[in-house]
Amino acid sequence: MKFLVTYIDKTEKYLEDVLTVIFNADVEVPADDLTITIPYDEKISENADFITAFLDEKTVFKGQIDEIIGIKSTDGAITKITARSPSAFLLDNEAEPLTYINPSADFIFNRHLKPFGLTEYYADDVPFFGTLKIDKGMTHWQVLKNFCINRYGTVPRITGNGKVYFNGSENGETIFFGKSGIDYTAIRESKRRFKLITEVKLKLTESGTYGGSIKNENPECKGIKRVRYVNATSDKTTIQTADNIISKSNSDSYSIALECVGCLIESIGRSAVLNDDMFGKIENLTVRKIRYTVGSDGEKTTVTLGKERF
C-alpha cells in the first residue's frame, strides 16, 4: 500500500518510510479506521489534514486525520497518525430535526451526505412511502441508516474511499477460502450460544398483554431459552424490531476468523465459501470484518466470516 498525506494548505506528500499499518473495517461499524506510524515528522505533526491509501493505484481509503501523536523513546522518535473514513463526518454531525414525507435515496444523499464531500452512491429511485422523522440529537448517519432499514431492510455501507451503498454492500465475486482458494495459516470457529435470543414476545395493542410471539428458527437454539419483550404499540418499535433482535442475535452467535498472509482489505462485505479439512465446506458466509496489519513480520489480514442465513 501507498499513503498520501494532504496538508492544510492542500499540498501533498507521499510517505516514503511507513513503519506499521493497522486498518480495520467492519460491516456493523459505519467508519473504517486507519493507523500508521512513521519516523518522526514535524511538518506532519503540525499541518497534516487528510490521508489517502492506495492499493495497486486504486484508492481504498481517504479520511481526515483524527489524531497525531509524537512519541520519543530509547528506540527513537515516531509519529503516529489515526484517521477514519468519510462516514465519520456523518457520525460526528447532528442532523436538523425534521419530518420527511416519502423521501427518496437521491433526496437523502443530497441532504445528508453530499454536504460532507461524499459524491458517489448506489441506490434505486423508488422512494420510501411513509414518514421519516429526525429527532433532536440524531446524527446524519442515523438518518441514513433509518432510511435504508425502512426502504431496503438493510444497514447501508460506506466504503473506505467514500462510496455509499444504500442496500448494504457493493456487488463482488464470491471469495473462496481453503481448498482451491485463498490460503490461511490459522482458523478459529466461534459458536457463542449465549448470544442467541430464542423468542421475542410482543404486545400488539395498548390494552393487551404480551400475547404475540416470534420464535427463532435457528437450529442452534435447541435446549436454550432466552426471551425478550417488545411493545409494538410504542412510537419507536414495531414487529420488525422483534425480527431485528432475533437476526442480530443469530449474527452475533457465529463467526469464523481466518489468519491470512497479504492484503485482503477489499474483501469486506463480500460473500464467501470456506472449504477446510477439519470444518468441512461451509457456504452462505459473508466477510463481516477485516483487520489488516503491516509490521516487522510482514503483511497479514485477519478475516472474520459470519453466516448470511441460519
Side-chain angles (χ1 to χ4, degrees), residues 1 49 55 59 98 103 107 112 116 144 171 185 212 216 263 289:
M1 293 181 73
D49 191 15
L55 180 63
T59 301
L98 290 168
F107 176 84
H112 295 280
F116 297 101
L144 172 65
N171 294 323
T185 58
N216 192 343
C263 180
K289 184 190 302 185

Side-chain angles (χ1 to χ4, degrees), residues 104-221:
S104 65
D106 185 67
F107 176 84
I108 295 295
F109 177 81
N110 282 291
R111 177 131 185 131
H112 295 280
L113 287 82
K114 192 174 181 180
F116 297 101
L118 294 161
T119 60
E120 189 174 354
Y121 77 96
Y122 300 88
D124 60 34
D125 57 0
V126 179
F128 165 61
F129 293 104
T131 60
L132 189 71
K133 185 179 179 183
I134 305 174
D135 295 321
K136 172 69 176 69
M138 287 180 64
T139 65
H140 291 275
W141 167 257
Q142 288 174 307
V143 175
L144 172 65
K145 180 180 177 181
N146 286 355
F147 172 81
C148 291
I149 288 174
N150 281 283
R151 171 63 188 85
Y152 301 101
T154 60
V155 175
R157 167 72 181 156
I158 301 178
T159 64
N161 59 3
K163 295 180 181 179
V164 184
Y165 293 87
F166 278 65
N167 66 347
S169 66
E170 59 182 311
N171 294 323
E173 294 182 358
T174 298
I175 302 175
F176 293 86
F177 293 93
K179 298 177 183 178
S180 302
I182 297 172
D183 201 6
Y184 44 86
T185 58
I187 180 171
R188 182 183 66 194
E189 181 185 49
S190 299
K191 294 183 177 181
R192 296 181 290 271
R193 300 175 76 226
F194 69 95
K195 290 286 188 178
L196 289 168
I197 303 299
T198 58
E199 183 181 10
V200 177
K201 294 188 176 181
L202 296 162
K203 181 179 179 181
L204 301 173
T205 63
E206 287 285 356
S207 59
T209 62
Y210 286 86
S213 175
I214 296 179
K215 294 186 178 181
N216 192 343
E217 300 299 327
N218 185 343
E220 297 295 327
C221 287

Side-chain angles (χ1 to χ4, degrees), residues 26-39:
D26 188 327
V27 294
E28 295 186 0
V29 177
D32 299 347
D33 66 81
L34 172 70
T35 301
I36 68 170
T37 61
I38 59 174

